């Protein structure tokens, strides 16, 4: 199995291991960082262990083989098909594309990052998601964060581009693509292959990522559970 076929599990046993909750059968990331979980296999014991990780007051997100059949006694609130994309190189930036002034975001930006993510909904963004990797952002003339991109899952040889979002007031300026290229380059410089997930039905989003150098590697199911 390719490492990216079971991305959450492989992140949990590598870069996310210090944040891991669970046991050898099923694991989840600390809920302050995100909602993701995975089981070691589809067996009854592992699925029961996965069910036990579903919070009583929140959601658990499964991606890949874990998202085919829900664990016993849990409620499926949403399913989707994801396009998993990888990039081995970055396509050249068009001459007309902007080169925005950006900076690395830190703890002082955490509240504003979460506000922007909750407004634009690039994916789950919990109170400590910003600590999962380096995030960079663009601020407007008033100092307001209007665009950002960063890192989420990591495993040996691969790193996920995530948290890509732009405030509605700043869309159409090319910020997302510019920031993603910077994030991707840092990953390539570390010897990692950038990857990301997009909803398979979002043709325009996938087309945008293809202009950066991403290609669809696989389609993976996603499932969101509650207790």
């Amino acid at each position: 199995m390719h490492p990216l076929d079971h991305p959450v599990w492989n992140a949990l046993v590598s870069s996310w291991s210090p944040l891991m909750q669970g046991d050898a059968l099923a694991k989840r990331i600390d809920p302050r960082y995100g909602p993701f979980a995975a089981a070691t296999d589809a067996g009854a014991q592992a699925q029961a262990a996965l069910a036990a990780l579903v919070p009583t007051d929140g959601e658990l997100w499964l991606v890949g083989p874990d998202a085919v059949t829900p664990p016993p006694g849990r409620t499926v609130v949403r399913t989707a098909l994801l396009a998993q994309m990888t990039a081995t190189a970055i396509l050249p930036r068009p001459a007309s594309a902007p080169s925005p002034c950006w900076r690395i975001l830190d703890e002082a930006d955490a509240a504003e990052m979460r506000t922007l993510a909750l407004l634009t909904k690039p994916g789950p963004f919990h109170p400590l998601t910003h600590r999962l990797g380096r995030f960079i952002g663009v601020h407007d003339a008033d100092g307001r964060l209007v665009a950002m991109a960063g890192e989420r899952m990591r495993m040996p040889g691969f790193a996920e581009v995530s948290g890509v979002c732009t405030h509605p007031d700043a869309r159409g300026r090319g910020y997302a693509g510019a920031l993603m290229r910077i994030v991707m380059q840092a990953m390539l410089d570390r010897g990692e292959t950038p990857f990301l997930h997009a909803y398979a039905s979002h043709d325009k989003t996938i087309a945008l990522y293809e202009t950066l150098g991403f290609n669809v590697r696989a389609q993976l199911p996603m499932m969101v559970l509650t207790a």
Side-chain angles (χ1 to χ4, degrees):
M1 181 179 289
H2 191 283
L4 294 182
D5 288 341
H6 206 183
V8 177
W9 179 266
N10 287 316
L12 284 163
V13 298
S14 55
S15 68
W16 284 359
S17 59
L19 310 174
M20 186 272 294
Q21 298 177 354
D23 55 28
L25 293 174
K27 308 175 189 294
R28 69 156 296 160
I29 191 171
D30 181 327
R32 297 173 300 168
Y33 290 80
F36 295 99
T40 185
D41 57 50
Q45 286 186 313
Q47 292 303 300
L50 184 61
L53 296 177
V54 178
T56 57
D57 57 351
E59 298 177 338
L60 203 68
W61 287 46
L62 312 176
V63 177
D66 304 294
V68 176
T69 303
R74 297 299 177 251
T75 300
V76 178
V77 296
R78 185 154 60 95
T79 61
L81 189 63
L82 302 179
Q84 184 184 77
M85 307 181 74
T86 58
T88 57
I90 303 172
L91 292 183
R93 181 174 65 90
S96 59
S99 181
C101 180
W102 60 275
R103 68 171 175 83
I104 298 173
L105 304 175
D106 57 28
E107 286 295 323
D109 302 295
E112 200 170 9
M113 294 169 70
R114 183 160 160 78
T115 297
L116 180 60
L118 292 177
L119 173 68
T120 57
K121 299 182 177 8
F125 204 95
H126 287 207
L128 298 184
T129 297
H130 65 281
R131 295 184 182 177
L132 292 177
R134 189 183 76 152
F135 278 80
I136 60 175
V138 175
H139 293 76
D140 65 13
D142 297 323
R144 180 181 58 161
L145 180 67
V146 295
M148 69 177 183
E151 305 173 0
R152 186 170 60 188
M153 297 183 205
R154 288 182 66 193
M155 62 202 76
F158 298 92
E160 183 189 26
V161 180
S162 186
V164 181
C165 52
T166 304
H167 194 282
D169 295 344
R171 287 177 181 161
R173 303 177 189 176
Y175 289 158
L179 293 178
M180 289 178 70
R181 278 189 165 89
I182 295 164
V183 172
M184 293 167 65
Q185 188 61 60
M187 294 171 175
L188 291 168
D189 289 345
R190 296 196 302 256
E192 297 170 328
T193 297
F195 73 99
L196 55 75
H197 296 98
Y199 288 109
S201 60
H202 290 188
D203 295 340
K204 291 183 179 180
T205 301
I206 291 172
L208 168 64
Y209 295 157
E210 288 174 339
T211 67
L212 303 177
F214 283 100
N215 292 288
V216 175
R217 189 198 79 85
Q219 291 190 332
L220 300 180
M222 182 195 77
M223 181 182 293
V224 180
L225 304 173
T226 57

